[in-house]
Amino acid sequence: MSAEREVIDLDEHNHQPTAAGSVVPDRLLTRRKTSVRLVAAFLVGGVLGGFGVSELRDSREERERNASVALVAFPASIAGVGSDVPGVLQLDGQLAVTNASQAPITVRAATGQGPGALVRDTGKSRLLRPGDTELINVELRLECATAFGNELLSMRFSVETGDRQTREIDYPIALVGSIWHVRSEQPCAHFREMKKRGG
């Protein structure tokens, strides 16, 4: 053996391929399995997490949609003019209510009060789908001298939303120029004429 081969070169690498059928160390196999499991768990977690976030967002949006209430109301008709006090009309009327929300609502009650005006529903609930308009029967008490001024009639609606919660919604209504005002003009003019004659 020559002297040159007795020196060991530490930079030399053994580039011989592993022989077929040789055993890979257990530690290396365990590391590979762990890596594969971590990648699989990450992928599954990502898919489930994305699905969960999407479901949570959809659920929250549906809850918000069910909880929000928007409506529009205006006087629709009037009938049965009567009076027990001079200058004060007692009438039966109807209020048109439109559901401007994105979910169905049930109008449980409607009441209104303003200068010289009182309005209350007759107790029948109305289910309104989005965009629907329903007529609510109401009883009115209107004072001819003060009911038709510039102030708005403040209506309050008790509404049950899709999440079975009851909410109170205020909506102002203009009486001046409405059908209630127009149909009250003649009886009020009659009262005013009687007052003049009596005075």
Side-chain angles (χ1 to χ4, degrees):
M1 193 184 253
S2 69
E4 292 176 3
R5 291 301 295 166
E6 290 178 7
V7 177
I8 298 172
D9 186 357
L10 296 176
D11 290 335
E12 213 176 276
H13 297 289
N14 186 0
H15 295 293
Q16 293 179 357
T18 305
S22 66
V23 179
V24 178
D26 287 341
R27 194 172 47 200
L28 185 57
L29 276 176
T30 303
R31 240 187 271 152
R32 284 183 185 166
K33 286 180 182 177
T34 302
S35 296
V36 169
R37 286 182 185 144
L38 285 173
V39 169
F42 178 75
L43 289 174
V44 169
V47 170
L48 291 177
F51 179 74
V53 167
S54 176
E55 287 293 310
L56 184 63
R57 184 175 57 242
D58 292 347
S59 175
R60 186 179 68 233
E61 287 173 357
E62 184 177 351
R63 279 196 311 274
E64 288 173 357
R65 200 167 39 247
N66 286 338
S68 68
V69 178
L71 54 80
V72 176
F74 57 90
S77 69
I78 200 168
V81 178
S83 176
D84 58 356
V85 177
V88 178
L89 303 178
Q90 291 181 330
L91 313 129
D92 296 322
Q94 289 183 315
L95 190 65
V97 180
T98 301
N99 179 5
S101 310
Q102 296 180 4
I105 60 172
T106 302
V107 179
R108 297 286 184 203
T111 57
Q113 186 168 359
L118 288 173
V119 179
R120 68 174 185 201
D121 68 279
T122 58
K124 188 173 180 183
S125 298
R126 295 285 184 177
L127 172 65
L128 285 88
R129 303 200 178 281
D132 280 358
T133 300
E134 288 286 341
L135 297 176
I136 296 176
N137 294 325
V138 293
E139 296 171 346
L140 301 112
R141 184 175 174 87
L142 303 172
E143 297 177 17
C144 292
T146 57
F148 303 106
N150 293 327
E151 291 191 44
L152 298 175
L153 174 65
S154 177
M155 288 294 302
R156 173 159 281 199
F157 296 90
S158 180
V159 175
E160 184 180 307
T161 54
D163 58 359
R164 300 195 180 279
Q165 298 296 314
T166 301
R167 290 174 171 75
E168 302 295 320
I169 307 299
D170 292 325
Y171 190 85
I173 292 175
L175 288 180
V176 177
S178 71
I179 188 71
W180 293 352
H181 183 199
V182 171
R183 294 292 299 274
S184 299
E185 281 184 328
Q186 187 175 352
C188 284
H190 177 68
F191 284 125
R192 283 192 293 271
E193 188 62 34
M194 285 178 61
K195 190 176 179 181
K196 282 182 187 175
R197 287 179 186 172

